[in-house]
Amino acid sequence: MSAVEPSVPRIPRDRLKALTFAAAQEQDDSNPLVGYSARVWAQVSLPYRDPGDVPFWTRKNGDVELTMRPALLSNADGTKYEGFAYGLLPRHALTWIATEAVRTQAPVLQLGSSMNTFMQKIGLAKGGRDAKRLTEQLQRLFGSQLFVRGLAMNENGRGEVTKYFQIADTVQLWFSKEVGDENKGLWSSSVTLSESFYRSIVDAPVPVHLEAMRALGSSPMRLDIYLWATYRVFTLTRPAKIRWTELNDQFGGQYGSIRQFKAAFIKNLHEVRLVYPELNVEVTPEFLVLRPSRPHIPPTKRRVELL
């Protein structure tokens, strides 16, 4: 009777992406593919899943608070409904938008004459279902109203500053109806960023490793943790202790308890550290301790290395 060979545990696809990226970086990390994000998304985040029929979405990070009102959208029959941008697709779109704004130094961005072209630009696979989902998420994203509130100090004392803005002033989405056809678009789709959002990007962009973000797979929380960590370590000079309740205000909100949020955060943090092993962080029962770390993208990288 022949011996039964032991089964080899299957590695989840997302973890395999992260491990493959980490192995490649060990061989050569001299020329990373550099992109950018707006600073606001390194401080607060979009919903992970659809918040449903609520009037607004709020995230808080210390003195910074983001409030988002949903976009007003139209069904095929002309009826109206409201919807929030959520999940993975708008996060990738926002990274591409910021990268293009920094690369071109212009608020008018060309999305491409077909959905496939745009999906390739932000590192997503082709496909009719994904194309439809991305179109809807872009409409939700560009139609949202945002309010960012923070504390300020001047010679008169302590006060509060609120900025009101939309991501885009004008959007033209002219995509082919036939998936895979790159020549059907009659015009070049474009988005004109609002002046306030454009300035928030180019005045203080947050550099990110685009291939690392793609390697983090299908988890919006992983992208948020990576972006937040890369932003924080640029100015961190001593260990920072962040309570889990504070992290839940910033990242969570859609979990039933702090315990559930903490478990999800720690699991996703392990994946982030696969692509960013220099991140010096410690998990304790009460705090997440973030220590000064080597930035994942050195601040001296040249902008010609953008997509």
Side-chain angles (χ1 to χ4, degrees), residues 225 264-273 279 281 283 288:
I225 293 172
F265 187 97
I266 292 172
K267 179 181 178 181
N268 286 298
L269 178 62
H270 288 324
E271 304 298 317
V272 170
R273 294 197 69 203
L279 181 63
V281 64
V283 173
L288 182 76

Side-chain angles (χ1 to χ4, degrees), residues 96 110-115 117-118 121 174-175 187-190:
W96 181 85
Q110 302 301 321
L111 304 184
S113 60
S114 75
M115 179 63 76
T117 300
F118 182 44
K121 284 184 177 179
W174 301 104
F175 294 120
W187 300 273
S188 179
S189 298
S190 66

Side-chain angles (χ1 to χ4, degrees), residues 39-61:
R39 185 172 58 177
V40 63
W41 308 122
Q43 297 173 299
V44 288
S45 62
L46 296 173
Y48 295 130
R49 56 183 181 272
D50 194 346
D53 186 17
V54 295
F56 56 85
W57 165 263
T58 300
R59 296 286 82 206
K60 186 175 177 61
N61 178 4

Side-chain angles (χ1 to χ4, degrees), residues 16 37 49 89 99 107 119 130 267 285:
L16 184 60
S37 172
R49 56 183 181 272
L89 297 180
T99 300
M119 292 172 74
D130 278 348
K267 179 181 178 181

Side-chain angles (χ1 to χ4, degrees), residues 239-242 280-284 287-291:
K241 297 170 67 175
I242 308 118
N280 190 352
V281 64
E282 178 187 358
V283 173
T284 74
F287 302 95
L288 182 76
V289 183
L290 185 63
R291 294 188 172 89

Side-chain angles (χ1 to χ4, degrees), residues 5 24 30-31 33 66 107 114 129 140 143 150 162 166 185 201 213 228 239-240 248 256 260 269 285 295-296 299 304:
E5 294 184 1
S30 60
N31 190 32
L33 189 60
L66 168 73
S114 75
R129 182 172 176 270
R140 289 170 178 245
T162 303
Q166 287 186 273
I201 295 170
M213 296 190 73
W228 168 73
N248 183 58
Q260 290 177 330
L269 178 62
H296 204 211
V304 295

Side-chain angles (χ1 to χ4, degrees), residues 81-266:
Y81 68 100
E82 291 184 323
F84 290 92
Y86 65 91
L88 190 70
L89 297 180
R91 285 168 166 82
H92 280 302
L94 285 166
T95 301
W96 181 85
I97 285 169
T99 300
E100 284 291 287
V102 174
R103 184 182 71 85
T104 63
Q105 291 291 292
V108 181
L109 308 179
Q110 302 301 321
L111 304 184
S113 60
S114 75
M115 179 63 76
N116 283 341
T117 300
F118 182 44
M119 292 172 74
Q120 287 176 306
K121 284 184 177 179
I122 62 175
L124 298 175
K126 297 180 181 180
R129 182 172 176 270
D130 278 348
K132 183 177 179 180
R133 287 173 52 232
L134 181 57
T135 300
E136 182 182 11
Q137 287 296 328
L138 287 174
Q139 291 170 335
R140 289 170 178 245
L141 182 65
F142 294 142
S144 300
Q145 293 180 310
L146 300 116
F147 316 86
V148 178
R149 183 171 60 186
L151 299 179
M153 296 286 291
N154 60 26
E155 65 275 8
N156 298 318
R158 182 183 176 95
E160 186 178 88
V161 176
T162 303
K163 292 184 178 180
Y164 304 87
F165 65 94
Q166 287 186 273
I167 290 174
D169 284 339
T170 306
V171 181
Q172 293 184 341
L173 297 179
W174 301 104
F175 294 120
S176 170
K177 294 181 179 179
E178 299 180 22
V179 176
D181 191 332
E182 299 293 333
N183 301 309
K184 287 282 187 177
L186 300 179
W187 300 273
S188 179
S189 298
S190 66
V191 54
T192 302
L193 302 178
S194 67
E195 178 64 19
S196 56
F197 187 65
Y198 170 69
R199 296 271 28 125
S200 76
I201 295 170
V202 297
D203 289 347
V206 178
V208 295
H209 196 311
L210 291 177
E211 291 172 328
M213 296 190 73
R214 293 173 185 172
L216 288 172
S218 59
S219 168
M221 182 180 276
R222 285 182 213 144
L223 296 182
D224 289 347
I225 293 172
Y226 172 79
L227 183 55
W228 168 73
T230 56
Y231 169 70
R232 284 295 303 269
V233 300
F234 269 113
T235 57
L236 199 64
T237 58
R238 60 182 180 179
K241 297 170 67 175
I242 308 118
R243 293 186 179 277
W244 289 107
T245 52
E246 296 171 343
L247 287 169
N248 183 58
D249 288 341
Q250 179 182 352
F251 292 97
Q254 291 179 287
Y255 289 89
S257 66
I258 296 292
R259 182 179 178 181
Q260 290 177 330
F261 162 75
K262 182 178 176 181
F265 187 97
I266 292 172

